Amino acid sequence: MAEKPRQGFWGLWNISFGFFGIQIGFALQNANMSRIFQSLGAELDNLSVLWIAAPLTGLLVQPIVGYFSDKTWLGKLGRRRPYFLAGAILATIALLVMPQSTVLWFSVAMLWILDASINISMEPFRAFVGDMLRKDQHSAGYAVQTAFIGAGAVVGSIFPWVLEQLSVSNVAPDGGIPDTVRYAFWFGGIMFLLSVLWTVFLTEEYSPEEMAAFDGVASEEEAGHTIRALAAKSFTSSFVWIGAGIAVMLAVAQFSLEKEVYLLGALLAGYGAASIGGIMLARGGSSNNMLSSIVGDFSGMPDLMKRLAVVQFFSWSALFIMWINTTPVVAQYVFNSADPQSAGYQEAGNWVGVLFTVYNGVAALAALSLLPWLAGKFGKAKTHIICLLCGAAGYASFFILRDKSLLLISEIGIGIAWASILAMPYAILASSLPQRKLGIYMGLFNIFIVVPQLLVATVMGSIMKAFFPTEPIWTMAFAASVLVIAALAMLRVDAVLPKESALKAKTAS
């Protein structure tokens, strides 16, 4: 097999620069959607269910986009870049239209469109690094990508605050969306499109023939293994999934849980039904259908990927809790303004943008400095453990810090964790996956990003309403706890990784 050319600085830059704009849009969404929802009349304990749009679209879109991007080739436009471009155009439209919302339902609908569009662009970028780089450059590639994610998030998070300093109105006279948010979303839409166009026009993907020369041509025996393994499965696990979904839905009625928990049950039952369909298609000899491929690859994930999936599940649970609840927490406990229509609440919303700017800025710097140093000293797995514990400490500190400036210290720990979450699992995973199926595997891996978000969106509202109806600070206790669990789960990953000292010795010999 031939070896991919080594990418220099500008090669690494161009491959990931599109993520700068994607993350501007993502940061604007994360920092401002709770504020928009509450400004348009949403109640505090309804925020979680309104956010369901984001993870649900990711759950549906990412595996599908990954599957098709593995099989796409549109001549000069290539394999992954058509998806970058389509998602960027749709997301730009959503970002331009979103701040025109005057009623709650319209802003929720636009969140669905925005998040689906972001996922269309974002998912193939993970596989794009693997496509374009040699295995010995994967860590560098994902570190550069993380730096652009951090830098884009800094710009997106702080932009409303900057506009306020420039005397743009931060309070809408009719109680709707203020001009600071409106103009920030418009700026974000333009930057999203321009950044993705940079990567689309300044990179050239390897053709299917070149990829085959780099990675070898999979034999028909290897290519059909997933379908044959799926065809050999029984329907037992499928019925277990369906039964679990029905049990959850019955529990909603029995224990008077929040109605959004029905969605969780429906998803469990839906996966069971999808797996039955995939098995039946595989048994019928359909060797090239999307459903069987996705179900087969999901059920047959490599052991390392399964262990990393557990870590991702708990890590992203903490992040989603933070994105939903930081604004109401800071408004109530730091600015003493729980009323979304008050000037103090809107000031708190802008300060949350500053806090998010800090953790993303720390992530950008840590990705290029701290993470490589820690990884060289302790290895990738232990580095991730250390960083996750830093994040847990950051969340826990919200309980004792009541000064807005001191909260910047909290964001340093969260930023270190964020850098590692964006880089280390992918650096560990990318080199162990078959390159011809990198898109679908990355899409499936991202399920363990969106499923915990769905759980938070469906369950957290019920927990808070039942136990802490007026005390959102307890969401930060949940966030700290699940990051500790993620760090403990990372020990299982470390146990199956080849020792990096042994790998270095082998390379030297």
Side-chain angles (χ1 to χ4, degrees):
M1 292 185 291
E3 181 68 88
K4 293 176 186 175
R6 188 172 185 82
Q7 295 283 350
F9 171 80
W10 285 110
L12 294 173
W13 176 287
N14 293 337
I15 287 168
S16 289
F17 186 73
F19 234 121
F20 175 69
I22 291 172
Q23 199 63 27
I24 290 176
F26 196 53
L28 285 167
Q29 171 185 298
N30 289 342
N32 293 284
M33 287 313 302
S34 287
R35 175 184 184 179
I36 289 173
F37 290 156
Q38 288 196 286
S39 295
L40 295 176
E43 299 294 332
L44 177 62
D45 56 6
N46 287 330
L47 287 181
S48 294
V49 68
L50 295 176
W51 271 85
I52 282 177
L56 183 58
T57 52
L59 181 67
L60 299 174
V61 168
Q62 290 189 12
I64 294 173
V65 170
Y67 171 82
F68 282 111
S69 72
D70 281 340
K71 300 178 179 298
T72 295
W73 184 256
L74 296 181
K76 290 185 178 181
L77 198 53
R79 186 185 193 189
R80 314 289 183 188
R81 290 177 296 163
Y83 298 91
F84 302 165
L85 185 58
I89 293 171
L90 293 171
T92 297
I93 294 171
L95 285 164
L96 295 177
V97 173
M98 172 73 79
Q100 298 302 105
S101 302
T102 57
V103 290
L104 182 61
W105 69 264
F106 184 78
S107 66
V108 174
M110 292 309 303
L111 176 60
W112 279 79
I113 295 171
L114 175 60
D115 204 79
S117 305
I118 289 174
N119 276 287
I120 291 170
S121 281
M122 184 167 57
E123 195 283 331
F125 259 102
R126 296 294 190 191
F128 192 53
V129 172
D131 290 345
M132 299 298 293
L133 299 180
R134 301 152 49 120
K135 290 185 178 182
D136 62 357
Q137 285 196 293
H138 282 171
S139 293
Y142 286 112
V144 170
Q145 192 172 91
T146 298
F148 277 124
I149 291 171
V154 165
V155 174
S157 297
I158 202 171
F159 207 73
W161 180 84
V162 170
L163 290 174
E164 184 186 16
Q165 308 314 302
L166 297 175
S167 300
V168 176
S169 175
N170 192 46
V171 179
D174 57 357
I177 300 171
D179 286 343
T180 50
V181 176
R182 194 186 312 274
Y183 297 159
F185 270 66
W186 293 344
F187 166 80
I190 294 169
M191 289 303 299
F192 195 125
L193 183 60
L194 291 177
S195 299
V196 169
L197 287 175
W198 179 293
T199 292
V200 168
F201 285 118
L202 295 181
T203 57
E204 185 175 351
E205 296 185 70
Y206 298 119
S207 69
E209 294 75 21
E210 289 173 314
M211 291 297 290
F214 294 142
D215 302 317
V217 180
S219 67
E220 297 212 4
E221 178 72 17
E222 179 188 353
H225 173 74
T226 297
I227 301 298
R228 287 197 306 276
L230 183 63
K233 290 176 66 70
S234 73
F235 293 114
T236 302
S237 62
S238 303
F239 288 119
V240 169
W241 283 104
I242 293 173
I246 293 172
V248 169
M249 288 187 279
L250 290 174
V252 176
Q254 179 67 31
F255 299 105
S256 301
L257 302 178
E258 294 296 304
K259 295 297 185 289
E260 57 265 26
V261 182
Y262 276 120
L263 177 61
L264 177 60
L267 287 171
L268 294 172
Y271 175 73
S275 66
I276 290 174
I279 292 170
M280 292 178 67
L281 287 171
R283 289 181 178 180
S286 178
S287 60
N288 191 28
N289 68 87
M290 181 181 69
L291 182 60
S292 294
S293 295
I294 291 175
V295 172
D297 285 327
F298 182 77
S299 62
M301 286 187 296
D303 182 58
L304 176 62
M305 185 172 170
K306 291 178 182 177
R307 295 182 184 222
L308 275 170
V310 175
V311 179
Q312 289 289 85
F313 177 88
F314 288 108
S315 300
W316 283 83
S317 295
L319 293 168
F320 201 61
I321 290 170
M322 173 186 71
W323 291 330
I324 293 176
N325 295 289
T326 300
T327 296
V329 167
V330 172
Q332 180 169 330
Y333 296 94
V334 178
F335 285 80
N336 299 312
S337 299
D339 179 9
Q341 305 304 323
S342 67
Y345 183 93
Q346 296 300 333
E347 186 181 354
N350 276 4
W351 188 250
V352 169
V354 175
L355 296 178
F356 282 16
T357 298
V358 171
Y359 91 73
N360 282 294
V362 168
L365 295 173
L368 299 177
S369 55
L370 181 63
L371 292 188
W373 178 78
L374 287 174
K377 191 172 182 64
F378 301 108
K380 295 184 183 71
K382 289 185 175 63
T383 293
H384 198 41
I385 292 170
I386 294 168
C387 293
L388 291 173
L389 293 176
C390 288
Y395 289 131
S397 68
F398 273 73
F399 276 84
I400 59 176
L401 300 179
R402 291 292 185 267
D403 181 273
K404 70 176 188 178
S405 298
L406 291 179
L407 286 179
L408 298 174
I409 300 172
S410 306
E411 299 302 318
I412 294 174
I414 295 170
I416 292 170
W418 178 230
S420 191
I421 290 168
L422 291 173
M424 284 300 156
Y426 295 99
I428 291 169
L429 191 62
S431 298
S432 67
L433 295 174
Q435 297 296 297
R436 65 185 180 83
K437 299 178 75 172
L438 199 55
I440 180 61
Y441 271 126
M442 287 296 184
L444 291 172
F445 190 57
N446 284 337
I447 286 176
F448 299 97
I449 292 175
V450 297
V451 166
Q453 296 177 43
L454 280 171
L455 282 173
V456 170
T458 55
V459 175
M460 184 59 69
S462 296
I463 294 174
M464 293 303 297
K465 189 171 184 178
F467 298 104
F468 313 105
T470 60
E471 297 291 334
I473 189 68
W474 286 99
T475 59
M476 293 301 171
F478 285 103
S481 299
V482 293
L483 270 194
V484 171
I485 295 172
L488 293 174
M490 197 64 198
L491 294 173
R492 296 182 66 247
V493 176
D494 191 32
V496 298
L497 281 178
K499 298 305 175 187
E500 300 196 23
S501 57
L503 287 178
K504 290 177 182 178
K506 183 177 179 181
T507 303
S509 63

